[in-house]
Amino acid sequence: MTNTLLSTIAYKLMALFMTIFYAFTPYVGPATDDPITETDGANLHAVLWADPQISNYLMERTPYFDAACEDIKNAQSDIDALIIAGDMAENGLKCEYQYITNHLMDSGVGNYLFAVGNHDVRLKIYSCTVKKITRFTNNLNENAGSDLTIDKLNYTYDINGYRFIVMGTDRTEFEESYFSDEQLDWLDANLSEATADGKPAFVICHQTLKNTHGLPDTWNSPIESAGSVGDQSDELYEIMNKYQNVFFITGHLHTGIGKYTYEKLDNINSVNLPSLTINNKDGDYNDAGIGFTLEVFNDRVLFRARNFAKGEYLPEYDIDIPLV
């Protein structure tokens, strides 16, 4: 009861701070003349974000998130899923997840798939994190009418015949992730099943593989594994590389859209998403408020770059990947 009361007070304080912030910084929502649409022939249509890092004190981030949520609600076509590749909250606090829930509730999205990031789990009791994240995810999916229900941080869900495999650390870490042998075997089995008929499979994880997407330089570190998933990077690569048409979707690096966004790693199509609310770096387009929409066709997968805060597509940065 005390925890619930404290969370309620924390959320009310957060809302008060936001009211004061907006009083001095008027909110500007997204434009509506270039709404989210779905390309003809697509079998699946999703929105991809990473690193919103909603904070109970870093108020300058929330206008980008608020506008991006409004952009989704203005969509002119169905959105099968909203996928966030980790770091949903800056401090992993209930009031921060409540803020996210309130802004995404009744958005019209069909399903919500969230991977945890290091900010969601670090310095927390692991069992409490699992309970908090699963409740947060399940509440949004229940409201959306989705039958997706989770009880742990790694899970799979099929949407329109395509499998999404969400990785989640098996223990509290500060920057990296840790995956048990059981979870790695689970990933292997799911990829084997999902790709058997030639369809793409999508692995969602907060951190990417080492020496990819400009690492370790984009993490400003001389340590080879810095900014990556960590010591299990090679093992994760070996599992995913066994299969064709695997798409590895990550965040964490806060790298803008550009040369570090997409890499073909043998059989793996690795896509690193920019931060939604924090000014990005090392890219050709570094504004906050950016991400991608995902469209899956019979013969290709299309990542359409978008500034969700402004409500406009960025077609010069689209990534169109043929299936094999």
Side-chain angles (χ1 to χ4, degrees):
M1 182 66 178
T2 302
N3 192 36
T4 302
L5 178 59
L6 289 176
S7 298
T8 300
I9 293 172
Y11 180 75
K12 288 184 176 181
L13 286 173
M14 185 175 176
L16 175 61
F17 293 155
M18 277 308 308
T19 300
I20 296 171
F21 176 83
Y22 277 139
F24 291 95
T25 308
Y27 171 71
V28 178
T32 57
D33 54 349
D34 188 17
I36 296 172
T37 57
E38 180 179 328
T39 306
D40 290 343
N43 301 321
L44 181 142
H45 181 216
V47 167
L48 304 177
W49 292 345
D51 301 86
Q53 291 185 220
I54 293 300
S55 169
N56 65 329
Y57 62 91
L58 297 170
M59 300 301 161
E60 67 274 10
R61 298 177 183 177
T62 53
Y64 296 104
F65 181 77
D66 294 356
C69 293
E70 187 177 341
D71 194 42
I72 285 180
K73 294 177 182 179
N74 292 338
Q76 295 300 298
S77 59
D78 292 338
I79 298 173
D80 295 309
L82 170 62
I83 298 165
I84 302 181
D87 276 2
M88 294 164 283
E90 174 71 17
N91 307 295
L93 299 177
K94 284 187 177 181
C95 62
E96 296 168 335
Y97 296 111
Q98 186 62 54
Y99 189 92
I100 297 169
T101 298
N102 289 353
H103 281 72
L104 288 177
M105 195 72 74
D106 301 321
S107 66
V109 171
N111 304 277
Y112 296 90
L113 282 71
F114 304 142
V116 293
N118 55 297
H119 278 266
D120 297 305
V121 304
R122 68 187 185 187
L123 305 178
K124 304 289 188 301
I125 298 172
Y126 184 75
S127 60
C128 295
T129 297
V130 173
K131 186 176 182 180
K132 187 188 310 173
I133 297 297
T134 55
R135 282 184 175 179
F136 161 66
T137 304
N138 291 339
N139 285 342
L140 279 168
N141 278 303
E142 181 180 5
N143 178 262
S146 170
D147 62 2
L148 172 58
T149 302
I150 65 172
D151 58 8
K152 53 187 177 179
L153 301 184
N154 65 290
Y155 55 96
T156 67
Y157 193 64
D158 289 0
I159 304 174
N160 299 353
Y162 301 101
R163 182 155 304 176
F164 291 82
I165 304 168
V166 179
M167 304 289 289
T169 184
D170 283 310
R171 69 187 184 200
T172 295
E173 295 283 351
F174 191 77
E175 288 289 352
E176 301 176 346
S177 285
Y178 169 77
F179 304 121
S180 64
D181 290 342
E182 180 183 9
Q183 184 172 171
L184 292 173
D185 290 343
W186 167 87
L187 171 65
D188 197 351
N190 268 281
L191 285 174
S192 177
E193 181 180 358
T195 61
D197 58 359
K199 287 184 177 180
F202 301 90
V203 180
I204 317 299
C205 181
H206 183 55
Q207 299 94 340
T208 191
L209 302 174
K210 68 181 183 182
N211 296 320
T212 64
H213 303 288
L215 286 175
D217 291 345
T218 47
W219 200 250
N220 297 317
S221 173
I223 301 172
E224 185 184 35
S225 63
S228 76
V229 72
D231 292 340
Q232 295 171 300
S233 179
D234 290 341
E235 192 170 2
L236 193 58
Y237 164 82
E238 292 296 335
I239 293 171
M240 292 191 291
N241 195 49
K242 290 164 58 176
Y243 307 101
Q244 298 282 356
N245 298 320
V246 173
F247 290 80
F248 187 48
I249 299 173
T250 61
H252 191 51
L253 303 184
H254 299 197
T255 301
I257 299 174
K259 64 180 180 178
Y260 296 126
T261 301
Y262 171 70
E263 292 187 18
K264 179 70 170 174
L265 309 173
D266 296 324
N267 290 332
I268 305 167
N269 296 284
S270 185
V271 177
N272 185 255
L273 303 174
S275 169
L276 181 68
T277 69
I278 303 170
N279 284 330
N280 294 286
K281 56 184 174 58
D282 298 320
D284 299 321
Y285 192 97
N286 295 316
D287 289 7
I290 58 177
F292 286 85
T293 64
L294 167 69
E295 296 182 343
V296 185
F297 301 83
N298 292 335
D299 60 349
R300 63 192 177 105
V301 173
L302 175 62
F303 294 83
R304 299 178 67 190
R306 185 170 178 84
N307 189 318
F308 293 91
K310 293 182 178 178
E312 61 184 21
Y313 282 107
L314 308 168
E316 63 270 35
Y317 300 113
D318 289 355
I319 306 167
D320 200 344
I321 305 170
L323 298 175
V324 297

